[in-house]
Amino acid sequence: MTNTRPRIRTLLAATAVISAAFALAACVPEPDPTGSSPSSPAPSVSASDSAEPTASVPADRPQTVEISLPASCDALYSPQMRATLEDRLPPLNDPAVTLYSTQLVPALEILESGVPTLRCSWGAPGGAGLSTNVTVLTAEDLPGVQDMLAVNGFGCEDAVGGILCSVQTETLDLDSKLVTRGESHFLRGNGWVATSWVGELPAGYTEDVAATLWG
């Protein structure tokens, strides 16, 4: 773990030239996080990929609340959200679902660099679903993650005492069917909640996770 933080900062510094690239099929293996280009054309992002980074989080915003990594996915949701997910996107943690929680290569490299992270997925292969990573970094690292999201076309706003960044796209799958997918990222204190979804994201999903984790 002693070498993790310098690696994170190096990865964040390289994000200004990376664009969000979403896969064409739902809940199937995602692009190799080596940065190689997929064989099919990347869908366009509705927001401009050249958006300027947002300003760092103001010092007077309540961002200093820190969390510990949850022991399991059972600790992520309110009873109401858990019931919604079990009804609309079962099951939890199907081992055949390989959907990543982000399509941004530098973000994937951070998540796979050895930082404490918990992955939770909902849905089955070939249909609607989502994948969430809850990751513990440091308060100093999170503004760099926010800047990475901003330069890749994500819109960010204040929410639940932190910053909520999201993007949504529509593209055609291999059967020429329209597929809606997107990402939602929440940043607060030392915590980063990254979610990638296909088909639908239940209303208030990320806000519910944030409220459950931070109280």
Side-chain angles (χ1 to χ4, degrees):
M1 293 296 293
T2 58
N3 293 327
T4 298
R5 190 176 302 169
R7 175 171 170 76
I8 290 174
R9 288 176 179 153
T10 299
L11 293 168
L12 293 178
T15 60
V17 297
I18 304 297
S19 297
F22 292 110
L24 297 180
C27 295
V28 297
E30 300 293 334
D32 190 321
T34 59
S36 58
S37 300
S39 57
S40 55
S44 61
V45 178
S46 56
S48 172
D49 289 344
S50 61
E52 292 297 325
T54 56
S56 298
V57 178
D60 59 351
R61 187 177 296 162
Q63 296 292 312
T64 57
V65 177
E66 296 192 345
I67 61 169
S68 298
L69 191 68
S72 73
C73 298
D74 294 327
L76 294 193
Y77 310 105
S78 68
Q80 295 82 3
M81 182 56 66
R82 180 65 182 257
T84 296
L85 292 166
E86 290 177 343
D87 179 59
R88 293 165 56 179
L89 292 173
L92 171 63
N93 290 339
D94 185 327
V97 172
T98 57
L99 181 68
Y100 291 136
S101 63
T102 179
Q103 300 298 310
L104 295 177
V105 173
L108 284 174
E109 291 178 335
I110 293 173
L111 295 176
E112 296 175 359
S113 68
V115 294
T117 191
L118 171 69
R119 179 182 181 273
C120 306
S121 70
W122 287 91
L130 63 85
S131 177
T132 293
N133 272 66
V134 177
T135 304
V136 174
L137 298 177
T138 70
E140 291 78 13
D141 287 321
L142 260 65
V145 175
Q146 182 184 345
D147 287 345
M148 172 183 63
L149 296 171
V151 299
N152 281 281
F154 286 72
C156 299
E157 61 183 2
D158 294 345
V160 201
I163 298 294
L164 178 63
C165 301
S166 59
V167 71
Q168 178 175 317
T169 66
E170 292 184 341
T171 187
L172 296 177
D173 66 12
L174 298 178
D175 297 320
S176 298
K177 295 181 180 179
L178 190 66
V179 176
T180 303
R181 62 184 302 155
E183 291 189 21
S184 177
H185 296 259
F186 181 78
L187 309 170
R188 182 180 180 186
N190 66 336
W192 173 21
V193 181
T195 299
S196 177
W197 56 272
V198 178
E200 68 167 323
L201 182 69
Y205 173 86
T206 301
E207 294 89 336
D208 184 86
V209 173
T212 303
L213 288 175
W214 277 270

